[in-house]
Amino acid sequence: MSRLRTLAILMAVLLSSFMTALDNTIVNVALPQIRAELDLSGADLKWVAAVYPLTLASFLLLGGHFADSIGRRATLLLGVGFFTASSIGCSTATGGAILIAFRGLQGVGAALILPASLAILSHDLPPRARNAGFTAMTATLASALACGPVISGVMTQHLGWIWLFVMNMPLGLASLLVGAAAIPHDRREPRGPQSPPVAVSHRAVALACFSLAATAYCLIEGPENGFASLAVAVSGSTAVISVAALSCEMARRRSSALRLLFRQRPFTGGIITQMLWGLGVSGIYFFTSQFLQDSLGLSPTSAGLTFTPVALSLLATAPFIARMARRWGDGRISAVGLLVVGLGLLMVALGSSGGNLVHILPGLAAIGFGSALAVPLTTRALESSPSHLSGIAAGLFSATREASGVFGIAFVGAIVTFVQHSDASAGAGEADAFLSGYQAGLYVASALVAAGPPVALWALRRHAGPRDGDGRSLARVGEDT
């Protein structure tokens, strides 16, 4: 494959992924203006922000199923078209119900884009370009998370909230055109009588979607309305029942595709470390933004710019990842990366006591640097999945990232709130109480991510043996012993 075509594939994938990640945060700053112009109630306003991550998390596995059944290329282009059309609908909304409906449809489009994008990176790029591709993807998602408040603040102030959705039109059109021209059609590999099933059963996909939707609803609504409220309790019960039914479905189908995936040690280790990373880093992103604005007095634009060291350190490290992995091994590099992320969170906690922005920047840079070093774990995890299951594997990875992000905000938020209230009850001022809770959340987040290095070493343990056509050890990507 030529370098130009490789770059075109990356452009199509990264543009579409940037759009989906940006829409997770870009609306938040514009909510006051949206509420005033559309005359929304408090409940409607909350759903404008919450419905997108809810539908995104709910339909991710369905998106992965589509990538395996109709093809990675077709699923990506379908998702980009759906997301772009929904963005146009959001920009023309004249009421809360219409805006909420189109925001939900945006989430469905994003749920098609993310699994197809990861599957394309792991199976349609040349082997030597995959680490760089996944590093670029990580940097893109981090940049979208960091730039969301900045872009939202500038566009809302000078152009109006409608332009937050209008700008998706040229991005989506460019991704569609480049993707249609550059991304190859899926190659269907012949399967013998002993081959595994093509994809997960429709019943398993439906149960997984129900469980993700119900869990996401609980985590979004629980902190606001109380976990004992009727709607949250019903959703929690639905999630438990769906997970139990899914477990029975997997146990009944002994050749289940999900069972096949989780027998791959790199895939299982990748899912576990992705969950630990999401629990730690996602919650801290959310509360660091509050700390920067409420405690340090930064504007939303300045607070968003503060996160740029994360993306810059990711991009600066990306060119060296493949060379470092070949020299020291994927497992060691990934383990060191997760350890550096944990240390970065600890540095942010210690630096926050100084009351100065400069003190937390090194920690943020360390988080980006460590996240880049951990990229080979994602690369090997998705490479370990059979080609005909690449979509569902990528869907599981995306679902894990989204669910761990929402749960990380709820979990770290519970710690922040508990310590904050305890210190306030003991007589501490409001600012000091929040700082104590914020630091406690950082310490716990650091410990969660620091639990990942042993998992990375186990998942990517080197084995001698024959190698496949991509240069990977067959023992490494085979079934766990």
Side-chain angles (χ1 to χ4, degrees):
M1 182 181 293
S2 68
R3 179 172 295 184
L4 181 61
R5 186 169 189 179
T6 299
L7 291 175
I9 292 173
L10 278 174
M11 177 183 172
V13 168
L14 296 180
L15 269 180
S16 56
S17 300
F18 182 80
M19 287 193 306
T20 64
L22 196 65
D23 268 60
N24 247 329
T25 59
I26 199 170
V27 171
N28 293 337
V29 176
L31 288 177
Q33 189 182 93
I34 294 174
R35 181 174 189 170
E37 290 192 13
L38 299 184
D39 193 24
L40 303 183
S41 66
D44 287 341
L45 194 68
K46 181 171 62 178
W47 274 107
V48 169
V51 70
Y52 178 82
L54 179 62
T55 53
L56 171 58
S58 304
F59 288 95
L60 275 168
L61 284 184
L62 184 63
H65 183 68
F66 272 27
D68 290 333
S69 56
I70 69 174
R72 298 182 288 271
R73 178 180 183 272
T75 301
L76 178 67
L77 298 180
L78 176 64
V80 172
F82 203 78
F83 187 91
T84 305
S86 302
S87 298
I88 296 173
C90 289
S91 68
T92 59
T94 56
I98 298 174
L99 180 58
I100 292 168
F102 279 114
R103 281 282 288 166
L105 292 176
Q106 273 189 310
V108 176
L112 298 176
I113 291 171
L114 288 177
S117 297
L118 290 176
I120 288 169
L121 291 180
S122 60
H123 289 277
D124 292 319
L125 284 183
R128 287 182 175 272
R130 287 173 188 163
N131 270 337
F134 279 109
T135 304
M137 172 69 85
T138 305
T140 297
L141 298 179
S143 300
L145 188 61
C147 295
V150 180
I151 296 173
S152 181
V154 172
M155 296 192 78
T156 301
Q157 181 177 348
H158 298 287
L159 297 174
W161 65 269
I162 290 176
W163 285 88
L164 300 178
F165 301 106
V166 171
M167 73 174 183
N168 288 331
M169 295 167 58
L171 293 176
L173 183 60
S175 181
L176 272 174
L177 293 176
V178 175
I183 299 173
H185 291 275
D186 296 26
R187 293 169 294 186
R188 297 297 177 185
E189 301 176 359
R191 299 188 305 275
Q194 300 301 319
S195 297
V198 172
V200 188
S201 69
H202 292 86
R203 186 183 297 114
V205 171
L207 289 170
C209 289
F210 272 121
S211 62
L212 284 169
T215 303
Y217 182 88
C218 286
L219 295 175
I220 291 171
E221 291 294 315
E224 293 291 331
N225 299 327
F227 287 96
S229 64
L230 180 60
V232 175
V234 170
S235 296
S237 301
T238 302
V240 171
I241 293 171
S242 298
V243 169
L246 180 60
S247 301
C248 293
E249 174 74 8
M250 291 177 62
R252 187 175 67 85
R253 295 174 177 265
R254 298 200 172 185
S255 61
S256 165
L258 290 178
R259 290 168 64 91
L260 175 66
L261 286 173
F262 281 105
R263 284 204 301 265
Q264 316 299 322
R265 187 170 56 242
F267 184 81
T268 302
I271 286 286
I272 294 171
T273 53
Q274 176 68 65
M275 185 177 299
L276 292 171
W277 187 92
L279 285 171
V281 175
S282 298
I284 292 309
Y285 255 104
F286 181 81
F287 288 100
T288 298
S289 179
Q290 291 188 32
F291 169 74
L292 293 171
Q293 295 180 62
D294 297 340
S295 298
L296 299 187
L298 299 183
S299 66
T301 301
S302 299
L305 287 172
T306 303
F307 290 104
T308 53
V310 178
L312 291 177
S313 56
L314 269 165
L315 292 172
T317 310
F320 308 102
I321 295 299
R323 188 181 307 170
M324 294 166 70
R326 285 195 298 270
R327 181 168 182 177
W328 291 296
D330 298 325
R332 292 176 182 174
I333 291 297
S334 298
V336 170
L338 291 169
L339 185 61
V340 170
V341 173
L343 290 174
L345 292 169
L346 192 59
M347 291 167 63
V348 173
L350 297 175
S352 62
S353 299
N356 193 312
L357 177 63
V358 176
H359 295 145
I360 70 170
L361 293 180
L364 293 174
I367 292 172
F369 176 64
S371 297
L373 290 179
V375 163
L377 187 57
T378 302
T379 308
R380 301 298 170 251
L382 292 176
E383 281 183 345
S384 71
S385 65
S387 179
H388 65 283
L389 295 178
S390 61
I392 202 68
L396 280 169
F397 246 81
S398 300
T400 301
R401 181 176 60 236
E402 292 297 324
S404 64
V406 176
F407 189 73
I409 292 174
F411 178 66
V412 174
I415 295 170
V416 172
T417 302
F418 176 78
V419 175
Q420 183 179 4
H421 287 171
S422 297
D423 280 26
S425 300
E430 183 178 348
D432 291 337
F434 176 77
L435 178 61
S436 297
Y438 172 64
Q439 289 178 325
L442 279 164
Y443 294 142
V444 173
S446 176
L448 286 170
V449 179
V455 180
L457 292 172
W458 165 78
L460 300 183
R461 192 167 62 220
R462 280 186 169 182
H463 292 277
R467 307 184 77 80
D468 67 4
D470 288 345
R472 296 174 287 152
S473 167
L474 292 179
R476 176 168 53 174
V477 299
E479 291 184 4
D480 191 9
T481 55

